[in-house]
Amino acid sequence: QKEGVYWLRFLETCGFCGILADEMGLGKTLQTLTWLQLTRVRSEAQHLPALIVCPTSLVENWRREALKFVPWLRCLVLSGGDRARLFARVPEHDLVITSYALIRRDTDFHARCVYSAVILDEAQAIKNQRTQNAQAVKQLRSDTRLVLSGTPIENGVSDLWSIMDFLMPDYLGKYEEFKVRYEDAVEFGGRAAELAQDQLRKKLHPFLLRRVKKDVAPDLPDKIRSVMYCELTPAQRTV
């Protein structure tokens, strides 16, 4: 966890953004909160709030973790139907927590704000570049950005393009170029796929940190996998 915080600080100092992709249970939330409570590198960002965007089910967990580990930071949760009345109080706080469901609805407000950092938790929520989630968060303005995801790739390498387009736009080029150079090559298979994967791995390596439990916490139990089968309906079978 200390190495993770040092890494986040290193990226920020260099003006880069990154993906903290530690396996679930290794403390991505704690590492992020520890990094956020540090004084920001750029003086212009020191008195700006940080924005955390996460699934609705994790909003309360972020609030509790912030209260537990960084109680000196002023934390504001934007949720509920009357959250608009809290918008004016955003500049008074150090941490602002909201959900993907609400960031889509409140895009106009957040796009007018400037944050010291924007953190996306469970960032596979923006893996599809065409979704409202992805389009909303890419309008946010911040001094630095961070993505948290134990599964940065779910469907294919295009997931990574959308995430990196949020973190550092244009680093992986335009999507059409990325699709030809990496996505199509990987799907084609063979030697071309190996070369494409190797190139992409090297390009992402400085900006992606992933540790798994078996390497850093062997005392933790193995992940429990449950495979469940279900019958397709006639309509589903047709599709």
Side-chain angles (χ1 to χ4, degrees), residues 133-146:
N133 282 343
Q135 294 172 10
V137 299
K138 290 175 184 180
Q139 295 183 50
L140 301 174
R141 296 185 294 163
S142 63
D143 188 65
T144 189
R145 295 180 171 190
L146 171 65

Side-chain angles (χ1 to χ4, degrees), residues 138 145 164-173:
K138 290 175 184 180
R145 295 180 171 190
M164 289 302 296
D165 188 49
F166 162 77
L167 288 174
M168 295 190 294
D170 296 328
Y171 178 68
L172 293 180

Side-chain angles (χ1 to χ4, degrees), residues 1 22-28 31 211-224:
Q1 290 173 346
D22 287 350
E23 199 172 39
M24 186 173 66
L26 296 186
K28 292 190 292 294
Q31 292 173 73
R211 283 81 58 90
V212 297
K213 285 191 289 187
K214 66 179 182 180
D215 293 334
V216 300
D219 54 312
L220 293 177
D222 291 335
K223 183 186 297 184
I224 299 174

Side-chain angles (χ1 to χ4, degrees), residues 126-127 129 138 156-167 170-179 183:
I126 67 162
K127 65 185 179 183
Q129 58 178 310
K138 290 175 184 180
V157 293
S158 61
D159 297 356
L160 276 174
W161 184 89
S162 184
I163 290 174
M164 289 302 296
D165 188 49
F166 162 77
L167 288 174
D170 296 328
Y171 178 68
L172 293 180
K174 301 300 182 184
Y175 176 68
E176 293 75 15
E177 301 168 357
F178 178 88
K179 186 177 188 304
E183 189 175 1

Side-chain angles (χ1 to χ4, degrees), residues 84-144:
R85 65 183 175 82
L86 300 174
F87 287 171
R89 297 178 55 193
V90 166
E92 307 168 6
H93 290 79
D94 302 305
L95 297 178
V96 178
I97 304 170
T98 191
S99 66
Y100 288 106
L102 296 182
I103 202 77
R104 298 196 301 263
R105 303 178 189 178
D106 302 335
T107 303
D108 290 343
F109 165 73
H110 289 290
R112 294 195 302 268
C113 299
V114 179
Y115 295 102
S116 61
V118 172
I119 295 89
L120 302 187
D121 191 14
E122 300 292 347
Q124 56 270 27
I126 67 162
K127 65 185 179 183
N128 186 334
Q129 58 178 310
R130 292 182 288 272
T131 61
Q132 290 182 337
N133 282 343
Q135 294 172 10
V137 299
K138 290 175 184 180
Q139 295 183 50
L140 301 174
R141 296 185 294 163
S142 63
D143 188 65
T144 189

Side-chain angles (χ1 to χ4, degrees), residues 50-62:
L51 177 67
I52 297 169
V53 185
C54 61
T56 304
S57 59
L58 296 180
V59 168
E60 178 59 21
N61 181 69
W62 271 99

